[in-house]
Amino acid sequence: MSFQSQFGLTGKTALVTGCKRGIGKAMALALAEAGADIIGVSATLEASGSAVEKEVTALGRQFRGYACDFADRAALHGFISQVKQDFPKIDILVNNAGTIMRKPAAEHPDEFWDAVIETNLNAQFVLSREIGKEMVARGAGKIIFTASLLTFQGGINVPGYAASKGAIGSLVKALANEWAGKGVNVNAIAPGYIATDNTAALQADAERSQSILARIPAGRWGQPEDFAGPTVFLASAASDYVHGTILTVDGGWMGR
């Protein structure tokens, strides 16, 4: 296999959750540019005519969009049933959908905790189990989770988010331990501080934003496009011997 073909995804179908904007959209576009057709799902994604659909199809790839609230377990199971019927073979699963709710731990209400854990952890396990079992049966597949710096650190005022992302790190290793020998790669990408909607509150806080920037060796906030290369790598044959890894894309933050 040539070096270039190791990274090619022609003929593959990728399911990308949380693909409407930000990191998820950048991941979907990168996979499409590498040759994959895209199944996109977000809580409010239009069935047709979305911006991500237009950009994917402009690259010459097919796109099918679905809307699903991952905090709703019944809706999740309904989506899984429908997408498996529509696409019997899904080669790549990108578990990117997530939410964050900010309030100090002593004031963090049950509804914040429950919604974050359901979306960021429970839904991702259910989706990985249901899509992953088909990959295991075929002996091939790639699963990529979006982890976080809070997979390694505790954060401030986001206990539910930190707990969910810490658990994602362990889930990646648990699934990799079971599925690596069956032809399925399970890995994660841990974003650093990225200029997206999820970090809008931090970017708007001049003091906090400056303290964050001062610690990033690369000297800038990350951009969604910084995830194109890592996503294609973990989705392609180039990463066939990579299992249970959490790849930090953080401008050097974790090395500081």
Side-chain angles (χ1 to χ4, degrees):
M1 182 182 294
S2 70
F3 181 80
Q4 187 172 2
S5 65
Q6 286 187 53
F7 291 88
L9 298 175
T10 300
K12 303 293 186 181
T13 298
L15 169 55
V16 183
T17 74
C19 72
K20 188 172 182 177
R21 59 184 182 271
I23 292 172
K25 182 181 177 185
M27 288 172 152
L29 293 176
L31 294 171
E33 192 167 356
D37 293 322
I38 307 298
I39 307 163
V41 58
S42 290
T44 60
L45 185 66
E46 302 91 333
S48 63
S50 66
V52 64
E53 177 182 0
K54 291 174 182 176
E55 292 184 52
V56 166
T57 55
L59 292 168
R61 308 316 311 163
Q62 296 181 22
F63 182 91
R64 175 79 70 87
Y66 298 83
C68 181
D69 179 2
F70 280 13
D72 182 335
R73 186 72 64 91
L76 173 64
H77 278 290
F79 162 69
I80 292 170
S81 177
Q82 186 62 57
V83 79
K84 288 175 75 172
Q85 180 179 321
D86 295 343
F87 297 90
K89 183 172 180 282
I90 296 171
D91 303 287
I92 302 157
L93 170 62
V94 180
N95 282 310
N96 173 72
T99 190
I100 189 167
M101 295 185 177
R102 301 177 187 276
K103 190 160 278 196
E107 304 164 19
H108 210 78
D110 288 1
E111 54 267 29
F112 276 29
W113 177 273
D114 291 344
V116 170
I117 295 295
E118 188 66 29
T119 300
N120 293 7
L121 178 61
N122 296 346
Q124 298 200 26
F125 169 70
V126 171
L127 189 56
S128 297
R129 181 189 66 204
E130 296 304 311
I131 302 299
K133 67 173 65 173
E134 306 295 340
M135 295 177 173
V136 168
R138 292 195 308 271
K142 302 277 185 173
I143 299 177
I144 305 167
F145 288 82
T146 297
S148 169
L149 293 182
L150 299 197
T151 300
F152 313 101
Q153 302 174 325
I156 300 170
N157 297 332
V158 288
Y161 185 82
S164 71
K165 292 300 185 177
I168 286 296
S170 291
L171 179 59
V172 165
K173 296 169 190 173
L175 295 179
N177 286 344
E178 293 192 33
W179 294 349
K182 299 177 180 179
V184 179
N185 297 75
V186 184
N187 294 289
I189 296 172
Y193 285 92
I194 312 301
T196 66
D197 292 349
N198 263 7
T199 59
L202 295 178
Q203 295 175 70
D205 183 332
E207 183 177 347
R208 185 86 193 279
S209 178
Q210 182 54 42
S211 70
I212 288 168
L213 193 60
R215 180 177 159 165
I216 300 173
R220 66 174 177 87
W221 283 65
Q223 298 296 322
E225 294 71 26
D226 290 317
F227 295 85
T231 302
V232 171
F233 168 64
L234 291 177
S236 69
S239 64
D240 279 353
Y241 199 58
V242 180
H243 296 276
T245 289
I246 302 170
L247 174 61
T248 54
V249 180
D250 63 354
W253 175 281
M254 287 300 298
R256 192 65 175 246

